[in-house]
């Protein structure tokens, strides 16, 4: 009787173990295959702050909707239009269908700008405008835009300066993105490249595409990291300059500055360079040594809202919820930046920079940048 | 009558006038080829290198035109006002319309010959295909209109000021201020209202011609670093607006110039 009872217990234990294994395996598979929730809550954000940020975002979205022209555009500018549309389409807590009621006409207008070579632009700065248009069309997720997106991502990948443009791998601009145009200069910068790479990533250019490796060459050549930068001027603070050998840091020389550095960090992320890579570690060293949400380090208030956008998106991309600064003080960047942006928002819902450089006196553009910052704060 | 049609009374003057209009773009292109050290590889140049040469040549021609066109206008009127000019002796015998025509046509034809020569060279540089023809046509129409306006401005200065050197200095000075004043004015221009910046860009022949050629001149490396303009909101002028404004300006200035010219020749 005891022997039979013992056998029974063994069978039950074995069965229970199998059930546990099957359930565990199924749960793991389900977790891996399930798409990430669009607005996964961030545990490091205090609930009351989270609610305030969501409200702030909603007021900003309402402001953008008020400013939209009847033809769906903003400011009669395709770049600003695409940025505003992207900011609205990516707003957490809203459905794409709901947003498409607002920006459907906008996306139609952007699609109408498509050129036979794949570019999506009116006339000026074609690479830039194509990149932000692709972001808007991808965010819209409309089936009819897919062929345009595919052509445009090919246009952007081909636009990176390489042998096709007569730029050799030893050239400092190799792999960079220029503004483009019928008579474009062979010149590139990290900000333009970040936009191009973001659009390429969001439009799912395969990781095997040679353009990513070319881009990495250029990213390295704008980084103050002599270990990987073959340019003579390269120092070792890990930050970035605007283009190889030239910076907008007000101290001059080739000193790194905030906006370029976070754009560089983000560019590495788009180009599939992992967080444990030495080049990324070097950028994070600069980030720790220059952590601030009060200004664009090295430039003061100039282009500070672009800085906030790449700051938030870069730290979100590398998955750093807390930054320990040079003094060892730990910062929850989401809370720091969130509170800062709340303090800067105007009652009407917009943000604007008092320093007008890079069109940051334009409320629609700056509000779009800031909405993207908030979206990065609110998402994992 | 035949002398009047030539524009410059004596044969040497006329030859110099037309030769300058033709030689100017040729010299500018040659200078670009030599500076870029590209002339040895002429037949093997890739498309983008050719595009870069065409861009550089057009910009150089435009910059030089800003100086030479007003001087041309000054030279033409000063020549008319010289006592040994046969036309001067006949002023009282000819009608106002005819007198205006004898001043207008060398200005118009000189600008046209200059622009057409430049366009032919650009087409040759860009590979003699039909693809760039619309862009070449637009940019050179703008170049022609700007040349005409600047030359007419020089003619006006020459009709107002009696000293040729004063007239030349005034004409070239005004042209340079219009062409490059905004580009080199320093940080203050970044704070100007967009409408003022756009108007000033339209007034600059260099920016207007570059824009018609689809050259993003304000975002070219040097200006992007040095000028605040590339970092604020602006809209480049359209080539149609460029042609319209410059031709309109040329006509207005020309009418004013002929009135002053008539007063001086009758005095």
């Amino acid at each position: 009787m005891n022997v039979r009872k013992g056998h029974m217990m063994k069978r039950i234990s074995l069965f229970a173990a199998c059930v546990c294994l099957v359930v565990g395996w199924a749960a793991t598979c389900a977790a891996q295959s399930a798409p990430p929730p669009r607005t996964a809550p961030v545990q490091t954000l205090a609930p009351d702050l989270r609610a305030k940020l969501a409200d702030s975002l909603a007021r900003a979205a309402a402001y953008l909707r008020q400013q939209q022209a009847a033809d769906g555009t903003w400011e009669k500018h395709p770049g600003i239009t695409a940025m505003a549309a992207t900011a609205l389409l990516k707003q957490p807590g809203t459905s794409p269908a709901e947003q498409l009621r607002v920006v459907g006409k906008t996306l139609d207008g952007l699609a109408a700008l498509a050129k036979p070579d794949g570019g999506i632009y009116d006339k000026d700065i074609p690479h830039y405008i194509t990149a932000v248009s692709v972001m808007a069309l991808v965010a819209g997720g409309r089936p009819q835009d897919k062929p345009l997106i595919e052509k445009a991502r090919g246009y952007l990948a081909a636009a990176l300066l390489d042998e096709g443009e007569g730029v050799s791998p030893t050239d400092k601009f190799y792999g960079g993105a220029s503004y483009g145009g019928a008579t474009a200069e062979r010149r590139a910068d990290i900000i333009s490249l970040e936009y191009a790479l973001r659009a390429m990533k969001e439009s799912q250019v395969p990781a095997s595409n040679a353009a990513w490796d070319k881009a990495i060459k250029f990213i390295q050549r704008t980084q103050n990291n002599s270990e990987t930068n073959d340019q003579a001027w390269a120092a070792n603070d890990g930050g970035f300059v605007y283009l190889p050998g030239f910076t907008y840091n007000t101290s001059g020389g080739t000193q790194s500055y905030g906006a370029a550095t976070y754009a560089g960090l983000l560019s590495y992320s788009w180009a599939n360079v992992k967080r444990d890579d030495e080049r990324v570690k070097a950028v994070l060293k600069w980030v720790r040594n220059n952590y601030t949400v009060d200004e664009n380090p090295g430039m003061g208030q100039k282009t500070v809202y672009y800085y906030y956008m790449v700051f938030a998106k870069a730290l979100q991309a590398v998955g750093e919820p807390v930054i320990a600064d040079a003094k060892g003080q730990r910062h929850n960047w989401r809370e720091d930046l969130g509170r800062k942006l709340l303090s800067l928002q105007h009652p009407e819902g917009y943000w604007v920079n008092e320093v007008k450089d890079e069109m940051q006196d334009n409320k629609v553009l700056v509000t779009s940048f800031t909405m993207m910052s908030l979206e990065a704060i609110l998402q994992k | 009558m035949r002398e009047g049609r030539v524009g410059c009374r004596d044969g040497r003057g006329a030859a110099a006038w037309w030769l300058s209009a033709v030689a100017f773009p040729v010299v500018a292109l040659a200078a670009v080829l030599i500076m870029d050290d590209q002339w040895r590889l002429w037949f093997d140049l890739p498309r983008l290198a050719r595009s870069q040469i065409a861009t550089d040549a057009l910009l150089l021609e435009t910059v030089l035109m800003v100086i030479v066109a007003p001087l041309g206008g000054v030279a033409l009127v000063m020549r008319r006002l010289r006592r040994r000019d046969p036309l001067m002796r006949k002023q009282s015998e000819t009608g106002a319309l005819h007198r205006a025509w004898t001043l207008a046509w060398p200005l118009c034809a000189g600008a046209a010959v200059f622009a057409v020569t430049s366009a032919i060279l650009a087409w040759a540089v860009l590979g003699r295909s039909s693809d760039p023809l619309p862009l070449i046509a637009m940019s050179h129409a703008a170049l022609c209109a700007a040349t005409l306006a600047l030359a007419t401005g020089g003619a006006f200065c020459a009709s107002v000021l009696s000293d040729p050197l004063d007239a030349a200095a005034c004409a070239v000075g005004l042209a340079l201020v219009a062409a490059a004043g905004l580009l080199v004015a320093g940080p203050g221009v970044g704070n100007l209202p967009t409408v003022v910046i756009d108007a000033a860009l339209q007034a600059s022949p260099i920016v207007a011609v570059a824009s018609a050629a689809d050259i993003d001149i304000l975002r070219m490396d040097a200006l992007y670093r040095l000028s605040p303009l590339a970092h604020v909101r602006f809209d480049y002028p359209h080539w149609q607006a460029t042609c319209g404004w410059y031709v309109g300006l040329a006509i207005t200035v020309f009418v004013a110039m002929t009135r002053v010219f008539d007063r001086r020749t009758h005095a």
Side-chain angles (χ1 to χ4, degrees), chain A residues 79 81-90 107 110 120 127-142 145 149 152-153 156 191-203 266 270 306 309-310 313 369 372:
Chain A
T81 295
M83 289 298 286
T86 307
L88 285 173
L89 286 163
K90 291 193 170 182
L107 298 185
L110 291 174
I120 303 173
H127 296 169
Y128 234 102
I129 303 296
T130 300
V132 293
S133 299
V134 166
M135 289 177 212
L137 293 174
V138 169
R142 304 189 307 179
D145 295 330
I149 294 168
R153 72 184 191 184
L156 288 171
I191 309 292
S192 301
L193 182 67
E194 191 278 315
Y195 276 113
L197 297 185
R198 196 192 312 182
M200 284 165 59
K201 189 73 174 183
E202 290 183 358
S203 59
L266 203 43
W270 302 138
Y306 172 80
M309 179 178 68
V310 285
K313 290 187 85 72
F369 282 162
M372 290 188 199

Side-chain angles (χ1 to χ4, degrees), chain A residues 168-189:
Chain A
S168 73
T170 54
D171 191 299
K172 66 180 180 180
F173 291 131
Y174 186 83
S178 67
Y179 287 124
T183 46
E185 269 196 310
R186 275 173 258 169
R187 158 219 184 274
D189 63 82

Side-chain angles (χ1 to χ4, degrees), chain A residues 17-101:
Chain A
C18 287
V19 168
C20 286
L21 273 175
V22 169
V23 169
W25 175 77
T28 308
C29 288
Q32 283 174 349
S33 61
R38 199 170 168 209
T39 56
V42 178
Q43 300 304 321
T44 52
L45 207 52
D48 64 327
L49 180 59
R50 185 178 172 75
K52 282 180 187 170
L53 292 174
D55 175 60
S56 163
L57 197 53
R59 285 192 292 126
Y63 175 78
L64 286 191
R65 284 194 292 269
Q66 279 170 15
Q67 300 303 312
Q68 190 180 26
D71 62 357
T73 63
W74 279 270
E75 306 287 308
K76 296 178 184 168
H77 190 291
I80 296 175
T81 295
M83 289 298 286
T86 307
L88 285 173
L89 286 163
K90 291 193 170 182
Q91 188 188 352
T94 59
S95 68
E98 191 183 330
Q99 295 292 22
L100 279 174
R101 276 202 295 275

